Amino acid sequence: MSHKNLLVELFVEELPPKALKKLGEAFAATLAEGLKAQGLASEYSAVTAFASPRRLAAHVSAVRTQADDRALSQKLMPVSVGLTADGQPTPALLKKLASQGADASVVPRLERRMDGKAEALFFDSVAQGATLAEGLQAALADAIAKLPIPKVMRYQLDDGWSSVDFVRPAHGLVALHGADVVPVRVLGLAAGRETHGHRFEAAMDPVVLRDADHYAQQLEEQGAVTASFAARHGEIVRQLHAAAAPLGLAPVADDALLDEVTALVERPNVLLCQFEPEFLAVPQECLILTMKANQKYFPLLDAAGRLTNKFLVVSNIRPDDPSRVIGGNERVVRPRLADAKFFFDQDRKKPLASRVAGLAKVVYHNKLGTQGERVERVRAIAKAIAERLGDAALAARADQAAQLAKADLLTDMVGEFPELQGIMGGYYAKHDGLPDEVAFAIEDHYKPRFAGDELPRSATGVVVALADKLETLAGLFGIGQVPTGDKDPFALRRHALGVIRLLIERELPIELPPLIGDAFKAFPATHGQAQAEVGFFLRERLTGYLREAGYSAQEVEAVVEARPERWAEVPRRLAAVRAFAALPEAASLAAANKRVGNILKKSDIGFEAVVNRELFKEPAEAALGAALSAVKPQADDAFDRGDYTASLQALAALKAPVDDFFDAVMVNTDDPTLRANRLGLLATLHAAMNRVADLSKLAA
């Protein structure tokens, strides 16, 4: 069988830019999988995806003209059902053979093999390998059917009668195996070797492809199109930095915008534009957002991260004189910036405090009331948090920031750009003359908005952000809006991660269970079950957070299972566990701890974690009691000082007496008094060993 490289292209009308990257990757991957499944391509065949605004294509290396024949063995039925007593085929067998394309002539060739406890008839045959035309037809249909299309379009074919469903109307199909056209059809199109280049700058139209391997080169040279999404992306990045570097500036970093612009152009050409400097009086977040979201421009920042009045546009044409393109883009952006300036000026005419009353008319959730009611709940929770931190002045600042935090939802700027909520509140608070700490808290109270986002800058911001997230979790869990599977419409996992990061990374010296209680107290109804669910949900997220931070599964489980209430201490507990695990005594003590836990769980008599030394009969139990009396005060003292490493390392001295105890002492003796005392000794040992972490989780 000959091996050649295969090229398949669908030429279509402009594809949705935000979906193009996924469409291109999915088309190529599914097409290649279909060919491999039929034996037309091997696992070593290289797959290259192409995706531009008007095409999806895939290049697959080493594709066969025809797949190898395959031996098949089809179980038909038990011998007792298929053959009569004298070996003749029954009607049931003949019917089954007919369904396989065979007749009674193959009966003598049927194989008899044991199938479980019964003997069965098997029909062995050879299936002819699929031809490339047959296999590609099936793989292409499957690739189209499985495309992650955001919204399907139904359109009529040229015959005037038939209609098909696809992401956009398709106008051309290329299928080349080497230099040969593969005769396949899809979406009413027959495969050929012609495609089309750039609408305005192609050197020729159509572009007649020589073979599969010259696809990208011919499109680049004759069609003025860079077919590869990755190549266009890289070229845009190169041109952006080349245009900005001579000015000592840098384009705004935005991967999503880069992907979208890559999906909008076939021949990228970056041009430098500018706008009037007076617009820089508007907060830069507003200008950056309007340029990115509405115009797909790349604003330029100086070395300090401040916005300049220059920006870059990625054009799809390369005229000899780009001045008209530059001028056109500068004219288009001006009204957008003027709108932003107008909103900013209008919003500052009313202080934030005057807008708070209007929040009572804004519905937050039909089961949780208005934004005004929500603000009051956040205020109550923020006050409780600040009081737990023992800072009355902080409580006053947090109350003021929480009261004003949602007021910018009623401003024109946030109405136009919801992404700026919080940010605009901070600007307007400064304009109203509020202290920086309050203004920063208003701006920061949504943080962290995403994984890796920065935390609030001030203590006031931390308190309000924590209160806001706890209110969201308590409210939504209280009405049963719990995340399930991959569904999390209210981003509660993100809110939970925010709570975890605030507690741990800001080292807040407060306990979590009372905080959750404070959050639920802000609601009129009590939700005991929901309160427990929030605690469990946060512990689940804590485990993931710590694993991503680089701790092992054993280390994380040991600490989380100990149920520490102050999560600011968790990193120090983990460090202590890691140091303890490196001790030579660690493995033996962890195994003993697990054994102790199992003994205590299985005990069928009552006991307390107290020890009567007068009941010691064996030297080993007396030795363990003495060692525990000596070590426990040291470990407890270190624990109370927060020196968890020293607390755990003090336990190393217990290894020998613990080992001797289990070698020489029968815990479950027939004497109930003696047994209860020995169980009390083990319970005391267990409690001492597991204050920092559940050491049994370190056992192999």
Side-chain angles (χ1 to χ4, degrees):
M1 299 293 177
S2 61
H3 293 71
K4 299 178 185 176
N5 296 339
L6 176 72
L7 184 282
V8 179
E9 183 207 66
L10 268 175
F11 183 77
V12 298
E13 294 182 11
E14 277 75 4
L15 293 159
K18 291 185 178 180
L20 181 63
K21 185 177 182 181
K22 286 186 178 179
L23 289 172
E25 292 169 349
F27 179 75
T30 309
L31 185 75
E33 286 170 7
L35 294 172
K36 291 175 182 178
Q38 298 176 83
L40 291 164
S42 76
E43 58 180 313
Y44 303 107
S45 294
V47 184
T48 306
F50 297 95
S52 81
R54 297 195 296 158
R55 76 198 73 239
L56 296 174
H59 181 278
V60 185
S61 69
V63 175
R64 296 180 167 200
T65 306
Q66 184 170 359
D68 291 336
D69 294 343
R70 290 177 299 152
L72 299 177
S73 182
Q74 174 72 33
K75 178 187 171 184
L76 299 176
M77 59 187 64
V79 172
S80 60
V81 176
L83 298 177
T84 63
D86 58 356
Q88 297 302 308
T90 64
L93 177 60
L94 294 175
K95 185 177 181 180
K96 182 69 173 178
L97 288 172
S99 71
Q100 302 293 320
D103 55 27
S105 64
V106 304
V107 172
R109 301 200 302 273
L110 295 180
E111 293 284 334
R112 294 187 179 201
R113 293 198 290 270
M114 292 303 295
D115 182 49
K117 295 182 179 180
E119 190 177 28
L121 293 171
F122 288 82
F123 176 43
D124 294 338
S125 61
V126 176
Q128 187 176 13
T131 65
L132 178 56
E134 295 167 344
L136 180 58
Q137 183 69 59
L140 185 55
D142 191 47
I144 290 173
K146 291 181 178 178
L147 279 179
I149 299 174
K151 192 173 183 180
V152 173
M153 175 184 290
R154 175 167 292 180
Y155 61 94
Q156 197 173 59
L157 299 179
D158 292 339
D159 62 13
W161 294 97
S162 308
S163 63
V164 293
D165 295 337
F166 194 51
V167 58
R168 291 291 185 271
H171 297 293
L173 174 64
V174 172
L176 292 176
H177 188 226
D180 302 323
V181 174
V182 185
V184 293
R185 295 183 64 89
V186 72
L187 301 175
L189 301 168
R193 63 173 65 249
E194 293 183 357
T195 188
H196 303 274
H198 197 286
R199 285 189 187 276
F200 311 112
E201 300 192 351
M204 60 181 64
D205 188 62
V207 176
V208 181
L209 299 172
R210 295 197 296 275
D211 56 42
D213 292 343
H214 287 85
Y215 172 71
Q217 180 184 343
Q218 280 189 259
L219 269 179
E220 189 80 50
E221 295 174 355
Q222 300 172 14
V225 169
T226 303
S228 166
F229 188 97
R232 282 198 318 284
H233 186 282
E235 176 61 15
I236 290 171
V237 171
R238 186 194 67 77
Q239 290 190 36
L240 287 172
H241 289 285
L247 304 173
L249 305 177
V252 166
D254 189 323
D255 291 338
L257 178 61
L258 261 173
D259 284 347
E260 188 173 359
V261 170
T262 301
L264 287 168
V265 298
E266 293 185 308
R267 193 186 193 198
N269 182 31
V270 172
L271 301 171
L272 178 66
C273 307
Q274 61 184 358
F275 56 83
E276 289 77 3
E278 53 262 34
F279 286 120
L280 293 174
V282 179
Q284 71 177 45
E285 292 90 346
C286 308
L287 304 181
I288 289 172
L289 184 58
T290 192
M291 284 192 282
K292 292 197 307 181
N294 295 322
Q295 304 302 133
K296 314 306 174 190
Y297 296 158
F298 289 86
L300 290 176
L301 308 178
D302 64 18
R306 294 185 297 265
L307 180 67
T308 68
N309 70 320
K310 294 178 173 57
F311 62 93
L312 298 175
V313 58
V314 182
S315 173
N316 194 35
I317 56 176
R318 298 182 183 180
D320 294 333
D321 179 9
S323 59
R324 295 181 67 181
V325 178
I326 293 171
N329 281 282
E330 291 176 345
R331 281 194 303 276
V332 168
V333 79
R334 196 170 296 119
R336 296 287 189 182
L337 302 181
D339 286 346
K341 185 175 186 303
F342 174 78
F343 293 145
F344 185 56
D345 292 340
Q346 289 298 111
D347 287 342
R348 288 183 296 172
K349 292 178 180 179
K350 291 180 63 177
L352 272 182
S354 69
R355 300 179 186 272
V356 173
L359 292 172
K361 300 177 182 178
V362 180
V363 175
Y364 166 52
H365 189 287
N366 61 358
K367 293 183 179 180
L368 296 172
T370 65
Q371 286 286 3
E373 293 170 308
R374 185 186 183 200
V375 164
E376 292 305 310
R377 293 194 294 266
V378 174
R379 289 178 68 185
I381 299 168
K383 181 181 178 183
I385 294 171
E387 288 176 348
R388 290 189 182 280
L389 291 170
D391 191 331
L394 175 61
R397 293 193 303 271
D399 182 65
Q400 184 181 22
Q403 183 182 30
L404 300 175
K406 306 296 181 184
D408 67 353
L409 296 175
L410 298 178
T411 62
D412 292 338
M413 187 71 83
V414 173
E416 180 71 14
F417 300 111
E419 302 93 330
L420 296 176
Q421 56 188 282
I423 294 171
M424 296 315 302
Y427 278 108
Y428 297 144
K430 290 178 185 176
H431 179 265
D432 294 344
L434 296 177
D436 281 350
E437 183 155 352
V438 173
F440 288 150
I442 293 171
E443 178 182 346
D444 293 347
H445 84 279
Y446 290 105
K447 294 178 180 177
R449 296 172 185 254
F450 51 85
D453 190 19
E454 61 183 11
L455 297 178
R457 289 162 282 186
S458 66
T460 305
V462 168
V463 168
V464 179
L466 186 56
D468 184 71
K469 289 164 179 58
L470 287 170
E471 190 277 339
T472 301
L473 289 166
L476 291 166
F477 267 79
I479 60 172
Q481 294 290 341
V482 181
T484 56
D486 59 351
K487 294 181 180 179
D488 187 10
F490 297 101
L492 297 185
R493 292 186 178 95
R494 177 169 57 80
H495 281 83
L497 181 60
V499 170
I500 292 165
R501 289 191 59 198
L502 289 166
L503 290 172
I504 292 178
E505 295 175 29
R506 285 290 181 260
E507 298 183 353
L508 298 184
I510 46 181
E511 297 174 351
L512 179 65
L515 278 185
I516 298 174
D518 291 337
F520 277 92
K521 286 176 187 175
F523 291 85
T526 57
H527 304 279
Q529 181 180 349
Q531 193 166 332
E533 288 175 349
V534 169
F536 179 75
F537 183 69
L538 285 167
R539 283 195 300 276
E540 280 190 320
R541 305 278 79 73
L542 174 65
T543 297
Y545 167 80
L546 296 174
R547 291 286 286 120
E548 289 182 6
Y551 296 101
S552 72
Q554 280 185 317
E555 291 167 344
V556 170
E557 191 177 6
V559 171
V560 173
E561 284 298 312
R563 301 289 180 90
E565 295 191 343
R566 287 196 177 186
W567 286 12
E569 300 172 347
V570 165
R572 283 186 288 129
R573 290 187 183 226
L574 283 163
V577 167
R578 182 168 288 181
F580 174 79
L583 297 175
E585 299 89 351
S588 177
L589 283 172
N593 187 53
K594 186 174 183 178
R595 184 176 178 182
V596 169
N598 290 334
I599 291 172
L600 296 176
K601 285 178 186 176
K602 295 176 181 178
S603 174
D604 57 357
I605 67 168
F607 63 90
E608 296 180 5
V610 292
V611 180
N612 184 349
R613 299 181 182 282
E614 294 180 359
L615 295 177
F616 289 157
K617 290 193 172 182
E618 300 291 342
E621 64 182 322
L624 177 57
L628 193 54
S629 296
V631 168
K632 188 175 182 298
Q634 299 173 28
D636 288 347
D637 179 62
F639 182 91
D640 294 339
R641 297 195 316 270
D643 189 348
Y644 300 127
T645 299
S647 180
L648 283 183
Q649 290 183 341
L651 301 176
L654 294 175
K655 178 186 180 300
V658 168
D659 289 346
D660 291 343
F661 177 88
F662 283 117
D663 287 342
V665 178
M666 172 68 71
V667 175
N668 291 319
T669 180
D670 293 334
D671 184 339
T673 303
L674 191 56
R675 189 186 344 167
N677 194 59
R678 288 173 178 174
L679 288 171
L681 176 61
L682 291 183
T684 305
L685 172 67
H686 195 257
M689 294 180 74
N690 292 306
R691 292 194 73 187
V692 175
D694 184 349
L695 298 184
S696 69
K697 302 301 180 183
L698 301 179

